[in-house]
Amino acid sequence: MKFSSYFPIWNKLTSAQQLLEKNAVFRKIEKGTVVHNGSVHCTGLLLVGSGQLRAYILSEDGREITLYRLFERDMCLFSAACMMNSIQFEITIEAEKDTELWIIPADIYKKLMAESAAVANYTNEIMASRFSDVMWLMEQVLWKSFDKRLAEFLLTEAELEATTTLKITHETIGRHLGNPREVVTRMLRYFQNEGLVKLSRGTIEIKDKKKLQAMIIMKKRL
């Protein structure tokens, strides 16, 4: 796995290429590993080679809510909060699957941003994209009903995993959506009674994709 093949604007860099390759640290991360903890000031920037990461925030009472996910060739800036003085919230990043990634030291990347317009522009694009993700999430939580949010989550998971049989617990769904497990369970049972899903221990099988999609569309029209 070659770093240059995964850094999105590699061809726009010149002298910076050698500096990045020399300082980026390659790591293999097992599923479930916390890569960056909110209390840690600066892990460094994370560039995903393969696998899947989840970025989330934690409330004072211990509830989680997923902000966004990171896939192949995605880069996380918020794990390097030390180079962004205006970013004050704590974020945790966890491997959802076995993941291979590079950690780019924040001081090295900050130096590149100052010297390269291409790096600075790319960084601004990432920042804008991530804040769009967060604003979308706020809209979902504040204005969308939970049945719609859950239906969208199940359909997204089915697309990501390329299967209609999801090996996921109600507690895990609750962590993604920021709701207690009991709330998730009640809504999934309602979905089951309506013939949308079939529930078994640790598994949710989507039985009627079209009805789930119709539920989302109908809610949008209300």
Side-chain angles (χ1 to χ4, degrees), residues 30-181:
E30 292 185 356
K31 177 181 177 181
T33 302
V34 173
V35 185
H36 173 77
N37 190 294
S39 61
V40 176
H41 187 48
C42 210
T43 299
L45 290 88
L46 307 177
L47 174 63
V48 180
S50 65
Q52 185 173 309
L53 303 177
R54 176 174 79 106
Y56 64 92
I57 53 175
L58 196 63
S59 70
E60 290 184 358
D61 61 357
R63 287 169 58 187
E64 300 175 8
I65 186 166
T66 298
L67 297 177
Y68 54 85
R69 283 157 155 172
L70 296 159
F71 304 96
E72 183 179 312
R73 289 183 171 80
D74 281 342
M75 190 157 68
C76 185
L77 302 177
F78 294 136
S79 53
C82 57
M83 72 175 196
M84 298 175 288
N85 296 329
S86 59
I87 303 298
Q88 300 297 326
F89 65 90
E90 295 182 349
I91 190 171
T92 302
I93 301 168
E94 179 184 23
E96 285 194 301
K97 298 180 179 179
D98 290 344
T99 300
E100 296 181 332
L101 55 79
W102 288 271
I103 301 176
I104 305 170
D107 58 338
I108 298 296
Y109 195 84
K110 191 172 184 179
K111 175 180 169 63
L112 293 180
M113 283 180 60
E115 297 175 353
S116 169
V119 174
N121 290 337
Y122 174 63
T123 304
N124 289 334
E125 288 175 8
I126 296 175
M127 187 71 73
S129 176
R130 293 293 168 245
F131 273 113
S132 293
D133 291 338
V134 173
M135 291 302 295
W136 178 86
L137 174 64
M138 289 179 62
E139 180 186 74
Q140 296 290 304
V141 173
L142 291 173
W143 309 119
K144 304 289 178 68
S145 60
F146 182 63
D147 58 345
K148 177 185 172 183
R149 291 177 60 214
L150 181 56
E152 286 182 322
F153 177 82
L154 294 175
L155 291 172
T156 299
E157 287 297 298
E159 185 176 351
L160 285 175
E161 301 299 329
T163 179
T164 55
T165 302
L166 306 174
K167 296 187 181 299
I168 190 170
T169 65
H170 300 187
E171 183 177 357
T172 298
I173 295 174
R175 289 202 301 269
H176 278 289
L177 299 179
N179 291 88
R181 178 184 58 79

